[in-house]
């Protein structure tokens, strides 16, 4: 993957330049105490159970966050976590098992999982979540794209053996999905039993890409086939 690593490095450099030109500083961290202090600055009130530093026994090899800073204040952030399902657990089973624990339910809180996900997502996964940008800094699409590309690229360098990368997105934000550079997406990813857990909606989409899709998009970006300076 040596050539691809160089392409990722060049993509990361472009993203950093975009953020610096907008007046921001990139701040990656695996210090989870620091994450607890920074995510509030971005306007996020609480962490999701899937990436909760307080709830999970995370270690540096398992997760990281990238924040963009204005002075000493984090104005946006996005986290990534590595999940190795191995060959014995399917993605649907993983969602059902962890959701019951995450939301303190005595029974399975999931009514159904979108059928395609049973075949699309398996084995070694990268989960991206907790994208947040402070309301006073929203509206800069190029900044959002640069942050997403940074986290995706850093995640692939950190976990190059991944099979699928995925994230959830609200239906009302789906018009932005193309900007995140994923190559598949499905609506109504999870249908929940009542009451629907806080922070989750039946209308959430799931989007993602496999390793080949990520590298193809990276090549297209290098060739100038993907918009580099979104408005």
């Amino acid at each position: 993957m040596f050539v691809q690593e160089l392409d990722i490095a060049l993509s990361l450099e472009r993203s950093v330049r975009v953020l610096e030109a907008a007046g921001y500083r990139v701040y990656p961290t695996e210090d989870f105490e620091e994450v607890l202090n920074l995510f509030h600055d971005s306007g996020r009130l609480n962490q999701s159970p899937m990436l909760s530093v307080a709830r999970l026994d995370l270690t540096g090899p398992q997760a990281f966050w990238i924040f963009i800073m204005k002075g000493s204040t984090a104005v946006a952030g996005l986290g990534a976590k590595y999940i190795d399902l191995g060959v014995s657990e399917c993605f649907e089973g993983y969602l059902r098992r962890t959701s019951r624990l995450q939301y303190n339910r005595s029974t399975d809180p999931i009514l159904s999982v979108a059928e395609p996900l049973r075949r699309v997502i398996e084995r070694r996964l990268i989960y991206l979540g907790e994208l947040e940008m402070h309301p006073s800094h929203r509206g800069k699409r190029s900044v959002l794209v640069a942050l997403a590309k940074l986290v995706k690229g850093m995640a692939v360098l950190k976990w190059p053996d991944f099979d699928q990368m995925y994230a959830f997105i609200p239906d009302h934000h789906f018009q932005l999905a193309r900007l995140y550079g994923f190559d598949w997406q499905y609506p109504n990813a999870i249908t929940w039993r009542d009451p629907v857990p806080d922070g989750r909606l039946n209308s959430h989409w799931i989007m993602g890409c496999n390793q080949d899709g990520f590298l193809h998009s990276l090549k297209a970006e290098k060739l100038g086939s993907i918009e580099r300076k979104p408005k």
Side-chain angles (χ1 to χ4, degrees):
M1 194 176 170
F2 179 71
V3 174
Q4 288 88 351
E5 287 176 349
L6 177 59
D7 288 343
I8 294 171
L10 293 173
S11 176
L12 294 177
E13 181 188 21
R14 286 192 291 268
S15 294
V16 170
R17 286 204 306 265
V18 168
L19 293 170
E20 289 180 342
Y24 299 108
R25 174 172 59 90
V26 175
Y27 189 73
T29 182
E30 294 174 341
D31 182 333
F32 303 127
E33 289 293 330
E34 192 170 40
V35 170
L36 287 173
N37 293 328
L38 291 175
F39 83 85
H40 286 295
D41 291 349
S42 68
R44 189 173 191 87
L45 300 178
N46 298 292
Q47 287 196 288
S48 65
M50 295 83 77
L51 276 171
S52 172
V53 171
R55 177 186 171 275
L56 302 171
D57 295 326
L58 295 172
T59 63
Q62 295 175 308
F64 69 89
W65 273 255
I66 291 182
F67 293 94
I68 56 174
M69 313 291 289
K70 193 73 170 180
S72 60
T73 302
V75 300
L78 179 61
K81 181 175 72 171
Y82 183 72
I83 305 164
D84 189 351
L85 297 181
V87 296
S88 61
E89 185 168 26
C90 67
F91 184 60
E92 179 177 358
Y94 167 77
L95 287 176
R96 290 180 180 277
R97 174 176 61 82
T98 56
S99 293
R100 182 174 60 82
L101 298 172
Q102 287 166 358
Y103 299 107
N104 298 314
R105 300 291 178 85
S106 59
T107 58
D108 182 358
I110 294 177
L111 184 62
S112 64
V113 174
E115 178 69 28
L117 301 185
R118 299 174 184 175
R119 298 182 297 275
V120 169
I121 303 183
E122 60 181 2
R123 302 188 68 180
R124 296 175 296 263
L125 313 177
I126 296 173
Y127 168 67
L128 305 180
E130 300 204 337
L131 175 64
E132 190 73 44
M133 180 168 284
H134 193 277
S136 63
H137 290 263
R138 291 176 186 170
K140 302 175 182 178
R141 199 164 65 172
S142 61
V143 171
L144 190 64
V145 173
L147 176 58
K149 285 184 178 180
L150 265 178
V151 175
K152 288 175 65 182
M154 290 292 290
V156 173
L157 288 178
K158 188 176 179 67
W159 303 301
D161 64 344
F162 83 101
D163 293 297
Q164 293 284 346
M165 181 186 304
Y166 74 99
F168 293 98
I169 187 170
D171 182 68
H172 60 280
H173 286 167
F174 187 71
Q175 66 270 23
L176 300 174
R178 175 181 174 273
L179 303 180
Y180 297 126
F182 291 113
D183 52 27
W184 57 259
Q185 56 276 320
Y186 297 104
N188 304 108
I190 301 174
T191 301
W192 300 91
R193 301 182 190 276
D194 289 331
V196 177
D198 289 343
R200 308 306 295 266
L201 294 171
N202 292 331
S203 59
H204 275 165
W205 290 66
I206 189 171
M207 55 187 180
C209 64
N210 61 20
Q211 187 170 145
D212 287 343
F214 172 82
L215 295 175
H216 177 78
S217 295
L218 196 70
K219 183 177 179 181
E221 179 189 346
K222 182 180 177 182
L223 295 173
S225 302
I226 296 177
E227 183 183 17
R228 291 185 179 175
K229 294 182 178 181
K231 302 185 184 300

